[in-house]
Amino acid sequence: MKIIVGLGNPTKEYAGTRHNVGFSVIYNISDAYNIPVETKKHKALIGKGIIEGEKVILAMPQTYMNLSGESVRELMDYYKCDLSDLIVIYDDISLDVGKLRIRAKGSAGGHNGIKNIIAQLGTQEFTRIKIGVGEKPAKMDLADYVLGRFSKEEQPIIRESADRAREAVCEMITHDVASAMNKFN
């Protein structure tokens, strides 16, 4: 079983923000594979289904970004999954808008949601798909930037990157992380 976690902030006010691209990918996967993500469990909205013959849990933590690890820890403990079965999808300001970067492990890179996941799991050894949201303007506060929405020009790029992230998840399920890295990085 794979646990696929998209990071974001709950409530409608954050829908469509840069910080919520992880949620956008979960919705994309949910739609493509007909896996409703509406059960409240483990401090998340989750959905159970099958992708390419593999059981999956789709999850959107409802703890707010900075405490995402609490939900991830509960999911990992309850389903007794190995770290190799976890895929975390989130925004990255160091990548151009829509660019994907897949990693098998790594540091938090300043992302508070990932910092909390690393703290809760006690390791950096989990797969992640980072989606570029662009670098913040020099005179803008980081929180205001990541909680802001994409421009009209950026919206189709982000929708296409959510499609590519879904395809990358499928590649990881049918092959492995290295194959997804070769194909999508």
Side-chain angles (χ1 to χ4, degrees):
M1 174 187 294
K2 298 285 185 195
I3 296 179
I4 304 161
V5 179
L7 299 188
N9 285 309
T11 73
K12 290 181 181 175
E13 72 181 284
Y14 297 107
T17 63
R18 289 177 181 85
H19 229 12
N20 276 38
V21 295
F23 280 13
S24 297
V25 175
I26 295 298
Y27 286 128
N28 185 302
I29 295 168
S30 168
D31 291 345
Y33 291 95
N34 195 26
I35 304 171
V37 181
E38 51 198 22
T39 302
K40 290 183 179 181
K41 203 172 183 182
H42 311 297
K43 298 182 183 174
L45 286 175
I46 68 167
K48 297 177 184 178
I50 307 279
I51 297 176
E52 302 298 329
E54 176 87 29
K55 288 181 184 178
V56 299
I57 301 290
L58 302 180
M60 297 185 299
Q62 300 294 292
T63 56
Y64 287 92
M65 184 67 77
N66 294 356
L67 299 175
S68 298
E70 292 178 6
S71 175
V72 173
R73 170 87 270 155
E74 283 190 28
L75 287 160
M76 296 298 288
D77 289 348
Y78 184 83
Y79 293 104
K80 299 187 182 358
C81 288
D82 293 330
L83 286 168
S84 61
D85 295 320
L86 175 64
I87 301 169
V88 179
I89 306 164
Y90 63 100
D91 60 296
D92 189 324
I93 62 167
S94 66
L95 297 173
D96 291 339
V97 173
K99 182 164 178 57
L100 295 188
R101 176 88 24 93
I102 299 167
R103 293 287 183 251
K105 61 182 177 181
S107 72
H111 193 286
N112 288 331
I114 297 299
K115 280 181 192 174
N116 190 253
I117 292 171
I118 290 169
Q120 289 287 326
L121 298 179
T123 183
Q124 299 179 8
E125 306 274 329
F126 56 90
T127 302
R128 67 263 334 253
I129 300 174
K130 301 189 274 187
I131 299 175
V133 296
E135 191 175 341
K136 80 167 184 68
K139 294 183 180 183
M140 189 173 204
D141 178 68
L142 179 60
D144 290 340
Y145 181 71
V146 297
L147 296 176
R149 289 179 167 61
F150 293 101
S151 70
K152 194 170 263 191
E153 298 77 30
E154 292 169 332
Q155 288 173 9
I157 297 167
I158 285 298
R159 282 193 296 275
E160 196 249 321
S161 71
D163 290 341
R164 286 193 348 270
R166 181 193 72 235
E167 293 166 7
V169 166
C170 189
E171 183 73 17
M172 289 177 198
I173 289 170
T174 57
H175 293 89
D176 57 23
V177 175
S179 177
M181 289 169 69
N182 287 334
K183 201 168 184 179
F184 293 94
N185 279 354

